């Protein structure tokens, strides 16, 4: 955790808010990065069966990100659409 607690707020509630924001920021970043990596793996997948198995898991990750407002729901929809098209295109 960063040491910027000292040089900012003096209110107890504001200090707690800063702590919470930091924890949430890191958690959101982790989820977002995990989903991006999963998408990358899926995009590079050549085997249709494996890709078809991964797709629902990736879609689920994207839905969770959209639900928590980490990414916009339209962006999630676009990504899901593209990934689904990609999987269907595989021979």
């Amino acid at each position: 955790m960063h040491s910027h607690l000292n040089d900012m707020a003096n209110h107890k509630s504001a200090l707690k808010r800063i702590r919470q924001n930091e924890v949430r920021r890191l958690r959101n970043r982790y989820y977002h990065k995990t989903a991006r990596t999963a998408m990358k793996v899926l995009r590079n997948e050549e085997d249709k069966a494996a890709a078809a198995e991964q797709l629902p898991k990736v879609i689920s990750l994207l839905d969770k990100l959209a639900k928590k407002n980490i990414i916009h729901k339209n962006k999630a929809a676009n990504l899901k659409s593209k990934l689904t098209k990609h999987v269907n295109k595989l021979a």
Side-chain angles (χ1 to χ4, degrees), residues 4-89:
H4 55 62
L5 290 178
N6 313 333
D7 54 304
M8 284 178 67
N10 290 320
H11 290 285
K12 206 170 176 183
S13 62
L15 290 169
K16 179 176 176 181
R17 173 69 46 221
I18 292 165
R19 288 198 307 271
Q20 284 177 327
N21 286 342
E22 181 64 12
V23 168
R24 288 190 183 133
R25 183 181 73 87
L26 294 171
R27 191 180 297 141
N28 288 343
R29 204 169 69 176
Y30 169 76
Y31 289 142
H32 197 177
K33 188 70 180 136
T34 307
R36 281 206 300 258
T37 310
M39 286 192 292
K40 197 170 161 188
V41 169
L42 179 57
R43 277 197 203 103
N44 294 332
E45 185 62 65
E46 298 295 322
D47 177 36
K48 177 139 191 170
E53 195 202 324
Q54 284 173 355
L55 185 64
K57 293 173 186 157
V58 176
I59 285 179
S60 166
L61 285 173
L62 289 170
D63 283 335
K64 282 177 191 158
L65 289 183
K67 187 180 173 200
K68 292 179 185 157
N69 266 331
I70 300 171
I71 60 174
H72 195 277
K73 65 180 177 46
N74 292 358
K75 181 184 171 94
N78 284 335
L79 288 168
K80 290 191 300 190
S81 162
K82 277 183 182 159
L83 291 166
T84 307
K85 272 178 160 171
H86 167 71
V87 171
N88 291 337
K89 214 165 57 183

